[in-house]
Amino acid sequence: DLRGGDIVRVALPDYPASLDDPTVPFLLVDPLNNYVAQSGLIGPNGTDRLGSRPLFTTSRFEYVLGTSESMIVSLQHVQQTGIVVTKNFIFKRGDYLIGVEYEIQNTSQDEWRGALFTQIKRDGQLPISFSENFMSLQPYVGGAVRSEKEFYKKIEFDDLKEESYKLSLREGYIALVQHYFVSAWVPVGEDQNNYQARKLPGKDIYLFGYTTPANAIASGEIGTFATQYYVGPKDQYRMREIAEGLDLTVDYGFLWWLSQPLFYLLTVMYSIFSNWGIAIIGLTIIVKTLLYPLSAASFRSMAKMRKLQPEMARLKERYGDDRQQFSQAMMDLYKKEGANPLGGCLPILLQMPVFLALYWTLMESVELRQAPFILWIDDLSVMDPYFVLPILMGISMYLTQSLQPEPPDPIQAKVFKFMPIMFTFFFLWFPSGLVLYWLVNNILSILQQLYVTRQIEKAGQG
């Protein structure tokens, strides 16, 4: 917009709004969400005052990068004093980081004094393109900043209804975060900048930005103010290069320390197979192999428990309703045979942190957005439209449980048998990539359990 030189619309052609029409790009900065990236000059001689924005001119109304590696879009404004203000937007091929530079030519007889301000303006509604599957967690939509103690601190819309946010800090960033995408103002240099976030009174409009210290430009001199605006996908490796902590807007939650190496392994697998579904299968095999030394003990315990099922049935028949005597005899049997009734819980406990970490990896990683696998699965980040993977996962879970000993308590046994049905129902709405992981994990568990059971049987025969 030439009024203020603001960025009012950003479309991302490499990220279609939907798979139904890949030619329609995803709109990140969108006027329908009152989403605007603003910057300007404030202070005694600034161009931007309350209720008044400068009107810029430009030599042409369409700029095309073409075959060039970079491009500058230049806007000009002449103040009443004759001072020429040039606002340059610097674009680079293949990069979502835009350089924004103000050049002030002080042709007046007096000193020019002012400061740079940046801000992201947006309403508090969910993005227009936002969709949420049943049973899935809602991705975060709101502000983020690097604070004095944290590299990534959320600034939620609801918090700003109660109190504005202020911080003075060197370097840093201030961002507006949504599912898969982010926009952020990032300072240039090491000035002590003033970060702020607030809600406009009586309006559903929120402002996130920062201001630089004031600078003086003598008569006849040329001064500059510079900043950077990142607007695009949550590319954590690129954002890490731009500002420390900006990559954490890929929010993996409290298991970030596990999600980040999982994502790295996932990208390594993808570089080999060029298919995110196969990459998930490869990652599952790696994780399962790494956990096998810990899981083997519990697999052996379950095999022993299953072997003891006939003896336990005889004990139950012998002691009848005397639960105390039955429990004591059963514990003695476990001790004699070296079996652990709780051993079967270990594989599930080991898998849960990996499961949760991978859930957030699949939810947050834009690389998996609209990523195809095979046949009918054209987007691993959303539910299987035909529920094939969840049903196969439920069958694999049933087979896994069939290899485990049945609990002696009848109620526990019924719950145990009902679990595959319950999990299948829950997984119907989970991202198909996550269901794929759990399905492959179950298949590998079955193979490992059969292998351990066969080893124990051979040892017993010997």
Side-chain angles (χ1 to χ4, degrees):
D1 187 354
L2 291 178
R3 177 64 69 181
D6 298 330
I7 298 175
V8 295
R9 188 175 184 272
V10 176
L12 308 176
D14 284 349
Y15 296 87
S18 71
L19 289 172
D20 297 332
D21 189 354
T23 63
V24 178
F26 178 80
L27 276 179
L28 179 51
V29 175
D30 186 354
L32 294 179
N33 263 127
N34 298 300
Y35 200 158
V36 183
Q38 299 177 317
S39 57
L41 300 172
I42 55 175
N45 306 117
T47 56
D48 296 80
R49 302 179 185 278
L50 186 63
S52 175
R53 305 295 306 284
L55 181 63
F56 286 89
T57 61
T58 183
S59 60
R60 47 199 167 108
F61 289 95
E62 184 177 277
Y63 292 78
V64 180
L65 186 64
T67 59
S68 303
E69 290 302 312
S70 63
M71 176 182 69
I72 297 177
V73 175
S74 188
L75 312 178
Q76 277 197 342
H77 171 74
V78 181
Q79 294 185 279
Q80 290 182 345
T81 55
I83 293 174
V84 179
V85 177
T86 304
K87 186 174 186 178
N88 293 321
F89 293 88
I90 301 99
F91 297 88
K92 294 182 180 179
R93 178 178 297 282
D95 200 354
Y96 293 95
L97 184 67
I98 304 170
V100 182
E101 183 180 276
Y102 277 89
E103 182 183 275
I104 298 100
Q105 299 180 25
N106 189 356
T107 56
S108 72
Q109 300 299 313
D110 302 316
E111 179 183 75
W112 186 97
R113 190 169 182 81
L116 171 70
F117 89 90
T118 69
Q119 68 183 19
I120 301 169
K121 183 176 78 169
R122 190 189 184 282
D123 64 29
Q125 304 303 308
L126 293 175
I128 292 172
S129 60
F130 182 89
S131 63
E132 180 185 1
N133 292 329
F134 175 68
M135 295 298 294
S136 69
L137 299 179
Q138 179 176 308
Y140 174 65
V141 178
V145 69
R146 173 181 171 179
S147 69
E148 293 177 335
K149 297 181 180 180
E150 302 172 88
F151 287 116
Y152 171 65
K153 176 180 175 60
K154 293 180 180 179
I155 308 175
E156 301 193 29
F157 292 140
D158 287 342
D159 294 338
L160 296 178
K161 293 177 183 178
E162 305 295 329
E163 184 181 9
S164 298
Y165 178 86
K166 293 182 179 180
L167 173 70
S168 180
L169 188 71
R170 295 183 187 276
E171 300 178 330
Y173 66 89
I174 190 159
L176 190 59
V177 182
Q178 66 185 67
H179 197 199
Y180 294 131
F181 302 99
V182 62
S183 69
W185 285 109
V186 181
V188 174
E190 298 183 357
D191 289 330
Q192 189 83 8
N193 299 301
N194 294 313
Y195 295 86
Q196 63 272 325
R198 61 192 177 94
K199 180 183 183 295
L200 291 181
K203 297 181 179 180
D204 183 35
I205 298 294
Y206 299 83
L207 305 175
F208 303 84
Y210 77 89
T211 58
T212 67
N215 191 18
I217 303 171
S219 175
E221 297 292 325
I222 297 177
T224 60
F225 292 90
T227 184
Q228 303 173 95
Y229 180 58
Y230 181 89
V231 54
K234 291 180 181 178
D235 182 343
Q236 54 187 299
Y237 297 133
R238 178 66 182 109
M239 292 191 294
R240 189 177 299 167
E241 298 171 346
I242 296 170
E244 192 171 15
L246 185 58
D247 60 308
L248 297 179
T249 56
V250 183
D251 189 2
Y252 291 141
F254 70 97
L255 288 172
W256 61 267
W257 52 272
L258 186 55
S259 293
Q260 288 185 343
L262 284 175
F263 177 73
Y264 172 75
L265 287 175
L266 201 58
T267 56
V268 171
M269 291 291 101
Y270 180 76
S271 67
I272 297 172
F273 300 108
S274 299
N275 182 296
W276 286 108
I278 298 175
I280 290 172
I281 294 173
L283 174 66
T284 311
I285 294 172
I286 292 174
V287 171
K288 199 67 176 174
T289 302
L290 292 174
L291 292 178
Y292 178 72
L294 297 174
S295 303
S298 61
F299 286 142
R300 283 192 290 269
S301 178
M302 284 190 289
K304 290 179 180 178
M305 290 283 293
R306 185 171 178 81
K307 190 177 179 181
L308 293 175
Q309 288 293 302
E311 185 64 27
M312 290 174 62
R314 284 193 291 271
L315 289 175
K316 191 171 184 180
E317 185 178 345
R318 178 187 302 176
Y319 294 104
D321 295 332
D322 193 339
R323 296 183 62 84
Q324 185 175 353
Q325 287 290 332
F326 172 68
S327 298
Q328 184 60 48
M330 191 168 58
M331 294 306 296
D332 292 340
L333 179 63
Y334 291 156
K335 187 175 181 180
K336 177 183 175 182
E337 299 294 334
N340 182 3
L342 300 178
C345 299
L346 182 60
I348 296 177
L349 293 176
L350 291 173
Q351 292 169 26
M352 288 312 296
V354 178
F355 173 79
L356 292 173
L358 190 61
Y359 176 87
W360 283 112
T361 300
L362 297 178
M363 283 289 291
E364 278 289 299
S365 299
V366 68
E367 291 82 358
L368 293 167
R369 178 183 181 266
Q370 299 179 353
F373 178 35
I374 56 172
L375 302 176
W376 71 96
I377 299 179
D378 54 10
D379 188 350
L380 287 164
S381 67
V382 299
M383 57 185 276
D384 183 338
Y386 301 113
F387 307 120
V388 175
L389 285 179
I391 292 171
L392 290 176
M393 189 282 303
I395 294 171
S396 69
M397 190 172 183
Y398 171 78
L399 293 174
T400 302
Q401 290 191 350
S402 67
L403 295 174
Q404 300 176 14
E406 186 175 300
D409 185 79
I411 297 177
Q412 290 182 4
K414 289 181 180 179
V415 173
F416 198 68
K417 290 179 179 179
F418 183 71
M419 282 181 65
I421 300 174
M422 182 177 64
F423 270 71
T424 300
F425 176 78
F426 287 155
F427 274 68
L428 291 176
W429 293 275
F430 270 68
S432 54
L434 188 70
V435 183
L436 176 64
Y437 161 77
W438 201 253
L439 169 62
V440 176
N441 182 80
N442 284 348
I443 293 172
L444 293 174
S445 294
I446 292 170
L447 295 175
Q448 289 179 348
Q449 181 68 72
L450 290 173
Y451 171 74
V452 170
T453 302
R454 189 167 298 174
Q455 278 190 322
I456 291 176
E457 289 175 350
K458 286 183 179 180
Q461 293 173 358

